Amino acid sequence: MVSRYGKDHKATTRRAIVESSGRRFKLDGIDGSGVATLMKDAGLTNGAFYAHFASKDELVAATIADQLASQRNTLRTVATDRAGMAAFVRSYLSPAQRDDRAEGCPSAALLDEIARCSPAARAAYTAGLIALVDDIAAVLAPEDPASAQRRTWSTVVLMIGTLQMARALDDLTLSDAVLEHGIDSAILLLGLDHVEEADDEGT
């Protein structure tokens, strides 16, 4: 029997499930997102799920990997140099990022749940975060990325925690202040304060 779908249909459908699941997980949590809801978000029936994934755990692992890959793509587009890295920090710790969970950072939204996920999901997260840190370190110290690893890890942890705290506070003014403090600390940790000063002098 000849399939009524093109050869790329399955890959396209899988991609739709992964992308919509990423948004749903960040909004409602992994445990709070059932297969029925995830498939409805993708515009598909429950029965179509197992044509693409053996289990929800497999989908979670694929989604985590995709979310971090997307974050790396954003970083590579914005942070092509040290000034771009400073801009990335400001964008990450912005009120817009804080208020948009669905399109925001997967780590800030899901870190506590990922710690309780399957080994495959945790492995996907670990690999994705290591790659992200490597990308940042390569921008900070292109001739010797290893020299920037320690401060990069410290800064990534700081930024994720800052965004989580800003989201938890019910005082918007305080939340905004937390974001600003986080930006200042991240800029200093990454050694980008001189970049910021140069930008200020040029305006």
Side-chain angles (χ1 to χ4, degrees):
M1 179 182 294
V2 178
S3 173
R4 61 194 175 96
Y5 298 117
K7 63 181 181 179
D8 294 332
H9 175 76
K10 186 170 184 178
T12 300
T13 303
R14 178 186 171 94
R15 181 76 189 152
I17 296 170
V18 169
E19 288 182 348
S20 61
S21 293
R23 291 188 290 272
R24 178 60 62 182
F25 288 155
K26 288 184 290 184
L27 282 172
D28 295 343
I30 294 170
D31 290 341
S33 304
V35 169
T37 298
L38 297 172
M39 295 303 284
K40 182 179 179 181
D41 286 348
L44 300 165
T45 63
N46 289 6
F49 178 83
Y50 292 101
H52 302 278
F53 301 97
S55 64
K56 183 182 173 184
D57 283 345
E58 184 180 318
L59 170 60
V60 170
T63 301
I64 289 170
D66 180 73
Q67 284 285 310
L68 286 168
S70 178
Q71 195 169 40
R72 288 181 68 201
N73 287 337
T74 299
L75 176 71
R76 289 171 174 175
T77 300
V78 175
T80 56
D81 55 20
R82 292 169 64 81
M85 186 60 69
F88 177 80
V89 169
R90 289 196 168 279
S91 175
Y92 182 93
L93 293 176
S94 66
Q97 174 89 206
R98 175 196 61 203
D99 298 340
D100 191 359
R101 292 175 182 269
E103 301 299 335
C105 174
S107 296
L110 299 172
L111 200 57
D112 61 331
E113 286 192 273
I114 291 171
R116 300 191 299 273
C117 280
S118 69
R122 292 179 66 194
Y125 182 74
T126 301
L129 198 63
I130 288 172
L132 181 68
V133 168
D134 286 347
D135 287 347
I136 295 172
V139 174
L140 297 175
E143 296 182 359
D144 184 16
S147 68
Q149 282 280 328
R150 185 171 182 175
R151 60 191 164 114
T152 300
W153 274 106
S154 296
T155 306
V156 168
V157 172
L158 166 73
M159 290 171 65
I160 294 169
T162 297
L163 187 55
Q164 289 178 315
M165 179 64 72
R167 285 177 172 171
L169 295 170
D170 70 350
D171 182 328
L172 192 59
T173 300
L174 179 58
S175 178
D176 287 343
V178 166
L179 291 174
E180 284 296 325
H181 295 330
I183 289 169
D184 292 343
S185 297
I187 292 294
L188 285 173
L189 270 173
L190 293 177
L192 298 175
D193 47 315
H194 296 304
V195 173
E196 297 270 284
E197 289 169 7
D199 286 346
D200 290 341
E201 290 172 3
T203 57

